Amino acid sequence: MAPKTRLLHERLAAVVSQLRHGDMIYVADAGSGTSSASLVPLSPQVETIDLGIAPGLPSVGDLLSVLCEVGDFEAAIVTEDMVTANPEARKFVSALVGEENVHELRYLPEFYNLRDRVKVFVQTGDYSVHGNVVLVAGYPSPPIPLNWLTSPTWFEDLPTAPPSTDPGSPEI
């Protein structure tokens, strides 16, 4: 019997165990700024976990592999540039979650805007180009539409249902 993969980082294990449908984890390379002085500042409300210990350690791929083994993820979001700038990483992400579950966004501002909507921002030691990946937590259910994940006003933007014409339906 093969040993089970365990997530040994206490805080990251706690975050993964608390994920609910639609929660997102941003898995970042070593160059992603997280301070208020960064080129694109990260919201102070977003928790950060810095796992980088040396250049390339751990890689985004290392972390994605473990997260996908121990957690329930229905999709991944990457930059539209990943397919040309980092084709091996793009293939790797597709192999993990399935090509039909990989969504692409424009790098700036859409992909970077997701950083402020994630449950946790996890920084690695990876130096790859366009290697950042957002994992979307899920469970066996219909996938969450990408525009719901990327728009902070998606709920307000939903069309309202017309009033029922069924005489037997209760009035609200």
Side-chain angles (χ1 to χ4, degrees):
M1 184 161 142
K4 210 174 188 182
T5 297
R6 292 179 50 213
L7 190 51
L8 299 177
H9 190 280
E10 181 180 7
R11 181 62 197 137
L12 189 54
V15 168
V16 170
S17 73
Q18 296 167 6
L19 292 174
R20 297 298 178 254
H21 196 208
D23 284 344
M24 295 182 280
I25 294 181
Y26 195 111
V27 179
D29 59 27
S32 297
T34 58
S35 77
S36 60
S38 297
L39 184 59
V40 181
L42 181 64
S43 168
Q45 283 77 36
V46 175
E47 179 180 359
T48 61
I49 299 175
D50 191 342
L51 299 179
I53 57 171
L57 297 174
S59 70
V60 167
D62 293 336
L63 184 55
L64 290 175
S65 292
V66 171
L67 290 173
C68 286
E69 262 192 74
V70 301
D72 294 316
F73 297 97
E74 71 177 36
I77 304 170
V78 300
T79 70
E80 62 188 9
D81 300 311
M82 184 187 252
V83 72
T84 54
N86 198 340
E88 289 305 310
R90 180 62 169 77
K91 288 177 194 164
F92 183 78
V93 172
S94 292
L96 282 175
V97 300
E99 179 60 31
E100 68 281 4
N101 300 315
V102 179
H103 307 289
E104 297 179 341
L105 290 178
R106 206 169 58 157
Y107 182 57
L108 290 172
E110 288 85 358
F111 190 75
Y112 254 73
N113 285 344
L114 277 182
R115 297 178 339 144
D116 291 340
R117 301 205 50 222
V118 299
K119 186 165 186 106
V120 67
F121 182 95
V122 185
Q123 194 151 29
T124 66
D126 203 318
Y127 277 25
S128 62
V129 177
H130 287 284
N132 298 344
V133 176
V134 175
L135 290 176
V136 181
Y139 57 87
S141 69
I144 296 173
L146 182 61
N147 62 324
W148 290 10
L149 295 168
T150 58
S151 170
T153 61
W154 71 270
F155 193 74
E156 293 85 9
D157 297 340
L158 289 175
T160 56
S164 174
T165 56
D166 179 7
S169 68
E171 289 190 36
I172 299 176

